[in-house]
Amino acid sequence: MEPVIKEIYDSIVEADQKMTSTKVQEALDQGFDPGYILNTGMVAAMTEVGRLFEEGEYFVPEMLVSARAMQAGLSILKPKMVEANIQSIGKVVAGTVKGDMHDIGKNLVCMMLEGAAFEIIDLGSDVSPDKFVDAVKSHQANMVAMSALLTTTMPNMKVTIDALKEAGVRDQVKIMVGGAPLSTQYAEEIGADGYAQDASRAVALAKSLIGA
């Protein structure tokens, strides 16, 4: 790995936002391909952060600040990626379901997915089924990621899936769900395609669902 790319990688793993921004710009100035910077420097770093999380060396706060460092670098890289016409590996409509205002977990999943080269349409929290449907249609998304942190709002996941069916777009998207009270069994019951218990596993699940 070239020195500047290694510095980008290390700065994300060590959650140094300023260093990430500086080194991404440096790499661009040195003529590195934006796709190479993204995959070798940034996606690889977030994969390592996910591994550290799963092994219990990192916790949610560490994961969050690393994801923010990655986003700081992405903000510099994105215009160059557009110029180079670098395609995302998937387009994800994400949101916390109707009635639920919790968004920390959902935000972390969005950051991690963005760090893995997915394009994110983040609808925020308290998202109605209609809003999910409209976003899938208007953005031609191929994945929906729903979060619920309350047992009282969990049923709105099924309501949303039913709304996607009614709108005739259920077959064009893979649906993954997450949140503290959920389980794989619940995901199967409501007709989702998969369940992830944390942000790191959400990335692996999303990649497997779209065959990336």
Side-chain angles (χ1 to χ4, degrees):
M1 199 186 290
E2 298 84 349
V4 72
I5 303 297
K6 178 76 167 70
E7 286 172 327
I8 292 167
Y9 177 97
D10 289 342
S11 69
I12 291 172
V13 173
E14 291 158 16
D16 187 336
Q17 284 186 51
K18 198 172 177 185
M19 182 63 78
T20 305
S21 300
T22 301
K23 293 300 172 183
V24 168
Q25 188 58 58
E26 214 171 282
L28 288 169
D29 293 344
Q30 287 179 25
F32 281 96
D33 175 70
Y36 182 74
I37 297 170
L38 176 71
N39 291 310
T40 310
M42 301 168 83
V43 174
M46 288 311 290
T47 302
E48 173 62 7
V49 169
R51 186 191 68 77
L52 290 167
F53 177 80
E54 282 177 25
E55 292 190 358
E57 289 184 48
Y58 273 21
F59 298 96
V60 169
E62 287 89 348
M63 214 172 175
L64 209 48
V65 286
S66 280
R68 284 186 186 135
M70 177 273 300
Q71 283 205 312
L74 263 183
S75 66
I76 290 163
L77 202 57
K78 265 184 186 168
K80 299 295 181 187
M81 286 165 66
V82 171
E83 281 173 29
N85 197 25
I86 292 167
Q87 299 297 311
S88 66
I89 61 172
K91 201 178 277 190
V92 186
V93 169
T96 309
V97 294
K98 182 88 181 138
D100 204 319
M101 304 305 292
H102 296 87
D103 66 357
I104 291 174
K106 183 267 302 167
N107 291 347
L108 184 51
V109 168
C110 287
M111 286 185 198
M112 292 289 283
L113 287 171
E114 196 170 16
F118 284 89
E119 184 181 340
I120 307 297
I121 299 98
D122 185 356
L123 302 179
S125 54
D126 189 26
V127 182
S128 68
D130 288 348
K131 206 169 171 190
F132 275 109
V133 170
D134 291 346
V136 167
K137 284 180 173 176
S138 61
H139 293 280
Q140 293 295 297
N142 57 354
M143 183 169 289
V144 171
M146 286 189 279
S147 164
L149 267 288
L150 304 169
T151 51
T152 51
T153 57
M154 282 165 60
N156 287 329
M157 290 183 157
K158 184 170 190 318
V159 175
T160 302
I161 291 171
D162 289 345
L164 289 164
K165 282 179 189 165
E166 276 176 43
V169 292
R170 170 63 183 97
D171 291 344
Q172 81 178 48
V173 292
K174 294 294 184 184
I175 297 174
M176 61 183 212
V177 295
L182 273 68
S183 64
T184 301
Q185 185 187 344
Y186 185 74
E188 286 169 5
E189 281 172 15
I190 62 171
D193 296 301
Y195 156 77
Q197 70 186 81
D198 57 54
S200 171
R201 288 181 179 90
V203 172
L205 175 63
K207 283 181 171 177
S208 71
L209 286 176
I210 63 161

